[in-house]
């Protein structure tokens, strides 16, 4: 069963939508992805959509939205890309993992591509960890 992962950044316009799209496109078996922002801009940046599409990921279902209490409660893991430490932001910070990732908002396409590649690498690493964790109970039953 996929783990409910919430990707979080400031505006929910660049980093967290990228992570959501990458996880949906390549890790649906391990991650049930969503994203939100601390102060959502209300739109996903055009350069975010272009970068995702250029790299083979759909940006169609992405939307910039706020972190609502029900979204927070539903998440089993929160990936915090806001640049603010989890201890200062969240009461239930034991389910939060901080990822230090530069905000590409307003930057050129090369910066977006570099940030995309970093997020993709991190999502792939998270996916690998979750898949290994899912395999362990089955391996011990045999």
């Amino acid at each position: 069963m996929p783990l409910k992962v919430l990707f979080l950044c400031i505006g929910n316009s660049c980093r967290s939508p990228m992570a959501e799209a990458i996880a949906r496109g390549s890790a649906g078996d391990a991650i049930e992805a969503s994203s939100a922002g601390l102060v959502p801009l209300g739109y996903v940046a055009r350069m975010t959509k272009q970068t995702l599409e250029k790299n083979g990921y759909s940006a169609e279902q992405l939307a910039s939205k706020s972190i609502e209490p029900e979204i927070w409660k539903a998440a089993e893991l929160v990936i915090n890309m806001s640049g603010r430490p989890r201890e200062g932001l969240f009461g239930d910070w034991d389910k939060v993992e901080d990822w230090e990732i530069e905000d590409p908002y307003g930057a050129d396409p090369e910066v977006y591509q570099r940030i995309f590649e970093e997020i993709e690498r991190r999502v792939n690493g998270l996916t690998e960890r979750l898949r290994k964790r899912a395999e362990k109970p089955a391996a011990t039953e045999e």
Side-chain angles (χ1 to χ4, degrees):
M1 193 135 175
L3 190 74
K4 292 178 179 154
V5 178
L6 171 64
F7 295 97
L8 181 70
C9 67
I10 302 286
N12 194 216
S13 185
C14 300
R15 294 168 290 182
S16 57
M18 276 190 199
E20 177 183 0
I22 293 165
R24 283 185 179 182
S26 66
D29 64 309
I31 297 173
E32 184 181 317
S34 63
S35 69
L38 298 176
V39 185
L41 292 179
Y43 63 91
V44 175
R46 182 178 52 84
M47 193 61 66
T48 300
K49 292 178 182 179
Q50 287 177 351
T51 303
L52 285 166
E53 289 164 5
K54 174 183 150 195
N55 287 280
Y57 291 96
S58 173
E60 222 169 274
Q61 296 180 349
L62 299 176
S64 176
K65 55 204 164 301
S66 180
I67 179 166
E68 301 294 332
E70 53 277 359
I71 293 172
W72 175 264
K73 285 180 194 164
E76 296 171 277
L77 174 64
V78 177
I79 302 297
N80 175 28
M81 295 182 276
S82 72
R84 296 187 169 98
R86 63 187 184 169
E87 295 85 354
L89 285 177
F90 312 106
D92 183 15
W93 56 266
D94 57 328
K95 71 178 183 179
V96 180
E97 184 175 312
D98 288 332
W99 287 4
E100 292 297 321
I101 297 177
E102 176 187 348
D103 187 353
Y105 185 78
D108 60 36
E110 291 77 22
V111 172
Y112 271 84
Q113 182 62 33
R114 180 173 47 79
I115 298 303
F116 166 85
E117 290 169 6
E118 182 178 353
I119 292 172
E120 184 179 45
R121 181 181 55 76
R122 297 246 191 153
V123 168
N124 289 341
L126 172 63
T127 304
E128 193 175 306
R129 278 189 295 164
L130 295 176
R131 286 178 179 151
K132 282 181 182 173
R133 191 171 79 182
E135 289 172 5
K136 283 185 181 174
T140 57
E141 290 174 5
E142 292 176 11

